[in-house]
């Protein structure tokens, strides 16, 4: 029930960053959140582990000077090693597999584990209490256990460690082996439960944090500032080169009037999901922000070195949206789509009231995109056709290799127009169909 | 709108957020405590069975320990089962905790002196487990936790004093275990606080304040129906400024952004005051604002009250804009349009912008009205502030009980084709006299 509610109130798109979990782009942002979570978890693990290590050293020294029997200390050492293994797994695999970079503390930790377990092993072996094989096995499993990939594998390996530990006790005083092994087992289980609870909360927290940031800023900014406590300051208001896309349904008033609320809700969900999907696919860097006012979608695409030119990306997205709309029967009640594009420098960044801050573009550029989009009806009336992408020269000059783009003057649309010289560029979905055929 | 009111609204928001986070965190930390208690009971049960089966008399210290911790678990569970307020439960818990720890430790210590090996073992288990319990006991305030830990450490030191050399290691162990459990506890609480804080913020972004507040005390299931798209009465207010973009030619972006944020902050505060503690949704893009106020179409009294409040809000909106932007020396006015009718209202939007949106006749009508008066203003180059409304709203105003609204100077306007298509034959604009 709670999960259902969570999915509804904080939909998948917010929980994981994006709707399409299997998309490479989507998973890369989820991965960014997980990386952040691991970093936070490993900080804790490192901290706890170092305290245990210090504790072990102090304990060893105390026992040495007091010349006490080592039984109590053995228990501590084994539990210490197991807890170290449990916690260490939150980090190591990521470091080894992703960064190929051993940090100093990791090397230190591994040497420390090896040293401590070797000393126990040696002392127990000398006293004839364990076999050499069992002791070596314990060491090997501990080291392997500490560097395995976090995930289900760790649980199997921990059980293997427990089995070896159990065999260690078999050679000792038989009276105590069962309760003693039970204690170790419950310690391991308790550690696993803790690890699970702790990692779950750290992971959920990181994902929620990413989701929250995505409602304010483009995904790439949100993901890149996961480690920062500052509130997305990189996206403060300033002038940026931006492509603006405005998508409008020509007959939305009729659609919203005619459809039942549940059908309208369904149609809008599919439509907005399609917008999200196409943005993810076309702009893999995540340098975009899609806002909605009523049914009108306003998309801002920002310059990013790894991406194509924003105007080109805007056109690709618009074309794909028309394709998606016309290829899917789900949008049959939608009427025509008019998409206005504009490109240039505009003031953009995060602004708004305290609780509702979001990325916005304020300036004349939005007005240009709105004006372009508004021409859709007149063009259809004058020349026919269906869904249209409309833009000005600032966009058109980056689309020289695109076919099917027509240029019109305002006079072509309206002989009384006072701005006859300004060219309007139009891409009609029908021309795409013709070129295909 | 004065600064004091504005601050108090955000203070209220902050207080509600803190309450929500505190309650959720307390619930989560309690669930962890339950896991811990059940784990102890399970461990102890296994050990008892093992003792009995194996017939190990030397392990009776563990049995005593079991008794102690079982009593502890029982006294802890008992007050939790009683449906007392959380703080009350915590107070009882604290006493029980001290009693349980003291009892089990003293019993254990008595036998541990005679049984060195098992003494070490059970002492170790006792210390670690008690530390874990303390570390995750349901005190969200650190000072209570630290007081409790201080008492416990005193007990430990007192108990081990006869054989301080032998027990030096365990004192170190106890200290380290305590340190770690407190560290993890603090981190765990921080993560929980962050998580539930984000949960609240996300809800506050997506849902009307009244819905967010209702979920603080009511079952979460309440939200599922509340955010589903449904047909309801909607009062729609839209606003747009004249020459907004000219402000950027004369002033830097940061100044405008700051002014806009302050302007919107005040709008949100005012909405909260006018509409039943936030029974409304606000959406904005640039200088364009859309506000949806749901109402019961069957209740004439509610319709009238909310309509009067909406017109009052529109008048205040004009004043707020003037106050924030008058000193910019940019010739500008604001066009506000109000309409009402049945619309589809629910949670919708893209991944970046899911929020409550209304779709339908009143929204299209309000935007049409606003568009028309804007064109009229541009044609006449008139920067007067205008509030446009449909005939049904004017009728409510003339029958309404708000004397402040009787002085509105309403002028009848002929509609354009778009509005005629929406069956509007005339509409009214308030012009300052």
């Amino acid at each position: 029930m709670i999960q259902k509610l969570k999915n509804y109130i904080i939909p998948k798109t917010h929980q994981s960053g994006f709707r399409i979990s299997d998309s490479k782009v989507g998973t890369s942002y989820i991965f960014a959140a997980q990386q952040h979570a691991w970093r936070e978890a490993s900080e804790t693990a490192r901290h706890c582990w170092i305290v245990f290590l210090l504790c072990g050293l102090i304990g060893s020294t105390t026992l040495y000077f007091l010349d006490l029997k080592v039984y109590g200390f053995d228990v501590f050492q084994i539990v210490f090693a197991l807890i170290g293994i449990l916690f260490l797994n939150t980090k190591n695999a990521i470091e080894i597999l992703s960064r190929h970079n051993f940090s100093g503390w990791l090397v230190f930790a591994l040497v420390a584990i090896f040293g401590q377990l070797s000393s126990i092993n040696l002392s127990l072996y000398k006293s004839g209490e364990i076999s050499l094989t069992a002791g070596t096995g314990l060491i090997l499993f501990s080291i392997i256990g500490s560097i395995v990939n976090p995930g289900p594998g760790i649980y199997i390996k921990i059980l293997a460690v427990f089995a070896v530990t159990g065999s260690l006790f078999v050679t000792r005083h038989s009276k105590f082996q069962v309760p003693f092994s039970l204690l170790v087992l419950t310690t391991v289980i308790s550690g696993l439960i803790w690890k699970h609870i702790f990692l779950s909360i750290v992971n959920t927290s990181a994902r929620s944090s990413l989701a929250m940031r995505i409602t304010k800023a483009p995904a790439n900014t949100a993901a890149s500032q996961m480690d920062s406590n500052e509130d997305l300051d990189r996206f403060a208001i300033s002038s940026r080169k931006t492509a603006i896309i405005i998508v409008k349904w020509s007959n939305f008033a009729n659609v919203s009037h005619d459809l039942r609320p549940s059908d309208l809700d369904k149609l809008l969900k599919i439509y907005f999901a399609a917008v999200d999907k196409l943005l993810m696919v076309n702009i893999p860097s995540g340098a975009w922000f899609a806002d909605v006012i009523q049914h009108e979608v306003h998309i801002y695409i920002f310059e990013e070195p790894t991406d194509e030119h924003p105007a080109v990306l805007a056109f690709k997205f618009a074309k794909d949206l028309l394709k998606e709309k016309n290829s899917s029967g789900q949008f049959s009640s939608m009427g025509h789509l008019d998409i206005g594009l504009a490109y240039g420098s505009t003031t953009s960044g995060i602004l708004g009231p305290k609780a509702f801050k979001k990325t916005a573009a304020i300036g004349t550029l939005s007005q240009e995109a709105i004006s372009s989009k508004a021409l859709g009806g007149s063009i259809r009336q004058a020349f026919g056709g269906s869904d249209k992408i409309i833009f000005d020269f600032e966009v058109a000059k980056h689309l020289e290799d695109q076919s099917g783009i027509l240029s019109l003057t305002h006079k072509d649309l309206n002989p009384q127009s006072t701005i006859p010289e300004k060219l309007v560029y139009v891409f009609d979905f029908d021309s795409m169909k013709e070129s295909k055929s | 709108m004065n600064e004091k009111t504005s601050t108090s609204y955000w203070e209220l928001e902050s207080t509600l957020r803190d309450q929500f986070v505190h309650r959720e965190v307390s619930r989560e930390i309690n669930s962890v405590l339950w896991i811990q208690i059940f784990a102890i009971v399970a461990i102890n049960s296994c050990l008892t069975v093992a003792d009995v089966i194996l017939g190990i008399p030397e392990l009776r210290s563990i049995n005593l320990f079991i008794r102690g911790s079982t009593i502890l678990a029982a006294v802890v569970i008992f007050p939790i089962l009683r449906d007392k307020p959380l703080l009350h439960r915590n107070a009882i818990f604290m006493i029980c905790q001290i009693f349980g720890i003291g009892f089990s430790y003293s019993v254990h210590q008595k036998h541990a002196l005679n049984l060195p090996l098992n003494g070490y073992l059970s002492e170790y288990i006792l210390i670690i487990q008690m530390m874990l319990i303390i570390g995750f006991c349901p005190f969200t305030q650190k000072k209570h936790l630290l007081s409790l830990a201080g008492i416990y450490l005193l007990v430990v030191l007192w108990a081990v004093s006869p054989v301080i050399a032998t027990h030096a290691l365990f004192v170190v162990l106890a200290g380290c275990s305590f340190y770690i459990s407190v560290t993890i506890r603090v981190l765990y609480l921080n993560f929980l606080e962050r998580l539930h804080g984000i949960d609240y913020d996300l809800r506050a972004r997506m849902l009307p304040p009244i819905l967010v507040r209702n979920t603080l005390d009511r079952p979460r299931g309440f939200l599922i129906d509340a955010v589903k798209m449904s047909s309801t009465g909607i009062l729609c207010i839209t606003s747009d400024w004249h020459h907004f973009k000219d402000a950027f030619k004369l002033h830097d972006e940061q100044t405008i952004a700051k002014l806009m944020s302050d302007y919107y902050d005040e709008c949100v505060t005012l909405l909260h005051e006018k509409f039943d503690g936030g029974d409304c949704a606000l959406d904005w893009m640039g200088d364009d604002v859309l506000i949806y106020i749901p109402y019961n179409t069957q209740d004439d009294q509610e319709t009238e009250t909310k309509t009067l409040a909406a017109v009052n809000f529109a008048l205040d909106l004009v004043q707020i804009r003037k106050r924030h932007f008058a000193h910019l020396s940019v010739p500008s006015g604001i066009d506000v349009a109000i309409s009402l009718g049945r619309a589809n209202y629910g949670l919708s939007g893209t991944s970046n912008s899911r929020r409550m949106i209304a779709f339908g006749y009143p929204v299209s009508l309000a935007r049409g009205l606003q568009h028309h008066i804007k064109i009229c203003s541009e044609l006449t180059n008139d920067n007067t502030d205008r509030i446009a409304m449909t005939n049904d709203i004017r009728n409510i105003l003339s029958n309404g009980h708000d004397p402040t609204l009787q002085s509105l100077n309403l002028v009848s306007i002929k509609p354009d084709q778009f509005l005629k298509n929406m069956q509007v034959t005339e509409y009214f604009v308030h012009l300052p006299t």
Side-chain angles (χ1 to χ4, degrees):
Chain A
M1 183 69 171
I2 289 171
Q3 188 56 39
K4 195 178 164 192
L5 174 81
K6 204 173 164 189
N7 287 341
Y8 197 80
I9 301 299
I10 310 169
K12 285 281 181 220
T13 156
H14 290 288
Q15 287 177 29
S16 60
F18 294 95
R19 283 176 202 270
I20 303 162
S21 56
D22 59 354
S23 148
K24 278 185 184 172
V25 183
T27 48
S28 75
Y29 284 110
I30 295 166
F31 187 68
Q34 276 174 346
Q35 284 275 45
H36 173 71
W38 270 315
R39 274 195 291 276
E40 297 212 83
S42 71
E43 284 297 320
T44 313
R46 198 179 312 179
H47 190 96
C48 296
W49 202 82
I50 286 169
V51 173
F52 264 89
L53 186 73
L54 287 173
C55 179
L57 290 173
I58 295 167
S60 305
T61 316
T62 313
L63 287 172
Y64 176 79
F65 283 112
L66 295 174
D67 195 25
L68 292 175
K69 286 183 179 179
V70 294
Y71 296 126
F73 185 60
D74 292 347
V75 179
F76 162 70
Q77 288 285 27
I78 290 159
V79 174
F80 153 74
L82 289 173
I83 290 175
I85 290 162
L86 288 171
F87 276 118
L88 279 172
N89 275 285
T90 58
K91 177 70 174 174
N92 300 354
I94 292 303
E95 283 205 21
I96 294 163
L97 297 176
S98 308
R99 298 183 180 183
H100 305 287
N101 174 24
F102 283 91
S103 63
W105 81 266
L106 179 61
V107 175
F108 174 68
L110 289 174
V111 170
I113 286 183
F114 187 81
Q116 295 219 11
L117 290 176
S118 296
S119 66
I120 300 172
N121 189 31
L122 197 63
S123 63
L124 294 175
Y125 173 68
K126 275 184 181 169
S127 64
E129 286 174 332
I130 63 164
S131 69
L132 190 60
T133 319
T136 313
L138 175 65
I139 292 166
L140 285 176
F141 272 111
S142 300
I143 292 171
I144 293 167
S146 69
I147 57 171
V148 290
N149 201 359
I154 178 63
Y155 300 105
I156 297 163
K157 294 214 167 54
I158 288 295
L159 287 175
V161 170
F162 174 68
V164 176
T165 315
S167 73
L168 185 145
F169 293 116
V170 171
T171 57
R172 302 183 71 175
H173 311 288
S174 60
K175 265 184 185 176
F176 306 125
Q177 72 197 32
V178 175
F180 208 64
S181 301
L182 271 173
L183 283 172
V184 176
L185 177 63
T186 47
T187 308
V188 171
I189 291 170
S190 183
L192 286 174
I193 291 171
W194 258 113
K195 179 180 167 164
H196 177 74
I197 292 173
F198 192 76
L199 281 185
S200 298
I201 199 79
V202 173
N203 251 316
T204 316
S205 170
R207 284 179 180 224
S208 301
S209 177
L210 180 71
M212 184 69 197
R213 283 156 192 252
I214 281 174
T215 65
K216 293 182 187 175
N220 62 338
T221 307
S224 69
Q225 297 215 325
M226 285 296 290
D227 289 336
S228 161
N229 289 326
E230 291 168 30
D231 194 14
L232 302 166
D233 54 340
R234 250 183 58 187
F235 221 69
I237 282 281
S238 70
S239 186
R240 291 183 176 85
K241 288 276 187 192
T242 311
I244 298 184
I245 308 169
I246 297 182
V247 190
K248 191 183 179 185
W249 303 10
S250 58
N251 66 336
F252 183 77
N254 297 340
V255 173
S256 66
H257 185 260
D258 296 343
L259 287 181
R260 286 182 306 167
S262 57
D263 293 336
L264 180 66
D265 189 31
K266 198 175 157 193
L267 178 64
L268 285 165
K269 269 185 186 153
I270 298 166
Y271 171 59
F272 290 135
V275 169
D276 276 338
K277 180 188 82 175
L278 294 174
L279 282 168
M280 270 191 287
V281 170
N282 282 299
I283 311 161
S285 71
W288 52 268
F289 189 88
D291 200 0
V292 171
I293 191 152
Q294 278 278 289
H295 63 287
E296 243 180 60
V297 182
H298 291 225
I299 298 158
Y300 313 115
I301 302 174
F302 303 101
E303 276 189 335
E304 185 69 30
T306 52
D307 284 344
E308 286 184 77
H309 193 276
V312 177
L313 292 175
F315 185 73
K316 271 188 185 171
F317 164 79
K319 241 169 83 170
D320 286 352
L321 184 63
L322 296 188
K323 252 193 257 176
E324 179 85 19
K325 183 219 155 194
N326 287 287
S327 62
S328 167
Q330 293 169 314
F331 298 116
S332 55
S333 58
M334 208 170 173
H336 296 304
L337 279 187
D338 291 328
I339 305 178
L341 308 183
Y343 172 73
S345 237
T346 191
T347 304
S348 61
I350 299 172
L351 81 157
K354 279 175 202 162
F356 306 102
K357 283 187 187 297
K358 63 179 178 183
T359 294
I362 42 178
T364 52
L365 198 64
S366 301
Q367 197 55 49
E368 281 170 26
I370 291 169
S371 308
S372 296
K373 165 217 69 179
L375 289 171
S378 323
I379 297 172
R380 220 172 354 261
Q381 212 169 17
F383 302 99
S386 60
D387 305 315
K388 300 198 185 311
I389 306 169
I390 307 150
F391 41 93
D392 62 6
F393 179 69
E394 285 302 316
V395 176
K397 70 183 180 189
H398 299 286
L399 305 175
E400 283 167 354
D401 55 339
Q402 297 286 341
S403 59
I405 297 173
L406 305 171
S407 62
L408 305 168
T409 63
H410 281 255
K411 212 168 181 68
D412 294 330
L413 297 173
N414 177 11
Q416 276 88 45
S417 172
T418 52
I419 43 170
E421 298 307 321
K422 191 175 177 187
L423 282 171
V424 177
Y425 296 83
V426 182
F427 177 86
D428 195 290
F429 182 72
D430 287 349
S431 71
M432 194 154 74
K433 281 196 288 191
E434 281 161 18
S435 66
K436 262 188 184 174
S437 64
Chain B
M1 188 56 42
N2 58 39
E3 189 62 31
K4 195 182 168 193
T5 318
S6 174
T7 309
S8 66
Y9 167 72
W10 294 108
E11 274 173 3
L12 174 66
E13 269 302 299
S14 168
T15 311
L16 288 170
R17 186 183 188 277
D18 289 348
Q19 280 174 4
F20 176 80
V21 170
H22 179 77
R23 202 194 60 191
E24 293 299 310
V25 168
S26 303
R27 187 183 294 167
E28 300 255 0
I29 200 87
N30 275 329
S31 67
V32 172
L33 178 78
W34 275 80
I35 292 173
Q36 200 67 45
I37 290 167
F38 285 126
I40 288 173
V41 173
I43 291 167
N44 295 335
S45 306
C46 289
L47 286 172
T48 312
V49 173
D51 279 0
V52 171
I53 294 170
L54 296 167
I56 304 168
E58 291 89 341
L59 289 180
R60 64 179 177 272
S61 61
I62 292 181
N63 288 330
L64 290 170
F65 163 71
I66 292 164
R67 269 191 243 159
S69 45
T70 308
I71 290 169
L72 169 69
V75 292
V76 167
I77 290 167
F78 177 72
I80 291 174
L81 289 175
R82 301 275 304 271
D83 189 23
K84 295 278 174 67
L86 186 68
L87 285 173
H88 191 190
R89 283 209 302 266
N90 278 351
I92 294 172
F93 179 82
M94 189 189 281
I95 297 163
C96 296
Q97 183 95 352
I98 294 165
F99 168 76
I101 290 167
F103 173 79
S104 55
Y105 192 82
S106 59
V107 170
H108 150 74
Q109 187 64 20
K110 187 180 162 191
H111 292 269
L113 294 174
N114 303 324
L115 301 160
L117 173 61
N118 297 305
Y120 291 149
L121 181 61
S122 52
E123 191 168 1
Y124 166 73
I125 300 159
L126 177 72
I127 290 169
I128 298 292
Q129 290 195 344
M130 289 303 157
M131 285 302 174
L132 284 171
I133 290 173
I134 292 172
F136 292 97
C137 62
F139 304 121
T140 49
Q141 287 180 1
K142 286 172 198 163
K143 62 179 181 181
H144 290 153
L145 172 72
L146 293 174
S147 315
L148 185 59
I151 293 166
Y152 178 62
L153 281 177
L154 282 175
V155 171
V156 169
L157 287 172
W158 167 77
V160 300
S161 58
V163 278
I164 190 73
T166 314
H167 288 78
L169 172 64
F170 297 115
V171 173
V172 174
L173 274 175
C176 289
S177 303
F178 176 71
Y179 179 76
I180 287 173
S181 63
V182 170
T183 305
I184 297 179
R185 174 199 155 85
V186 169
L187 286 168
Y188 185 72
L189 283 175
N190 285 345
F191 280 121
L192 281 179
E193 278 174 9
R194 196 194 304 173
L195 181 66
H196 293 297
I198 292 169
D199 186 18
Y200 184 92
D201 292 341
L202 270 172
R203 287 171 188 220
R205 280 179 84 81
M206 290 192 263
L207 306 174
I210 198 161
L211 268 186
V212 177
R213 276 154 213 191
N214 282 340
T215 58
L216 290 177
D217 302 309
R218 297 175 72 167
R220 288 187 176 195
F222 171 76
L223 269 178
I224 292 175
D225 291 328
V227 298
K228 256 185 195 164
M229 194 162 287
S230 61
S231 178
T232 182
I234 288 287
L235 254 162
C236 181
I237 305 172
T238 72
S239 81
D240 194 14
W241 302 353
H242 306 159
H243 307 293
F244 171 63
K245 285 150 199 87
D246 293 346
F248 289 94
K249 293 175 189 163
L250 299 171
H251 301 276
D252 69 279
E253 296 137 347
Q254 303 294 343
T255 310
I256 304 290
K258 169 83 175 59
L259 284 171
M260 285 185 71
S261 295
D262 292 346
Y263 165 74
Y264 284 129
D265 274 344
E266 209 167 322
C267 289
V268 172
T269 308
L270 191 61
L271 272 174
H272 178 265
E273 281 176 5
K274 300 258 183 211
F275 299 102
D276 299 339
D279 189 10
C280 55
L282 174 136
D283 200 1
W284 63 275
M285 191 173 281
D287 58 326
D288 210 353
V289 174
L290 263 170
I291 294 159
Y292 314 111
I293 303 138
Y295 67 92
N296 182 358
T297 48
Q298 307 297 321
D299 186 342
D300 291 343
Q301 182 62 39
E302 187 186 330
T303 310
E304 185 184 297
T305 312
K306 289 201 170 175
T307 306
L308 295 175
V311 178
N312 242 317
F313 173 80
L315 288 167
D316 286 339
L317 198 63
V318 172
Q319 296 307 318
I320 296 171
R321 193 204 63 82
K322 267 190 188 155
R323 192 171 332 117
H324 285 282
F325 291 87
H327 68 281
L328 291 185
S329 317
V330 180
S332 67
I334 185 169
D335 296 324
V336 185
I338 311 167
S339 71
L340 82 173
R342 197 163 261 284
N344 294 319
Y345 180 59
L347 196 66
S348 192
T350 60
S351 60
N352 295 122
S353 56
R354 263 177 87 82
R355 58 183 82 97
M356 295 297 276
I357 307 179
F359 302 96
Y361 175 79
V363 188
S364 308
L365 182 56
R367 298 194 87 184
L369 284 179
Q370 185 204 298
H371 183 67
H372 193 226
I373 52 172
K374 190 173 184 181
I375 289 171
C376 295
S377 304
E378 282 172 0
L379 286 175
T380 54
N381 203 19
D382 181 358
N383 285 322
T384 314
D385 300 316
R386 294 157 196 262
I387 300 169
M389 61 194 77
T390 46
N391 196 23
D392 42 5
I393 291 181
R394 193 197 67 146
N395 291 339
I396 292 172
L397 283 184
S398 46
N399 298 330
H401 303 293
D402 190 339
T404 58
L405 297 175
Q406 301 302 323
S407 59
L408 290 182
N409 177 28
L410 293 177
V411 178
S412 169
I413 305 279
K414 291 269 178 249
D416 66 358
Q417 194 54 48
F418 175 79
L419 294 171
K420 278 181 186 162
N421 290 344
M422 297 191 82
Q423 297 173 337
V424 176
T425 50
E426 69 170 336
Y427 70 92
F428 297 88
V429 169
H430 161 62
L431 287 171
T433 47

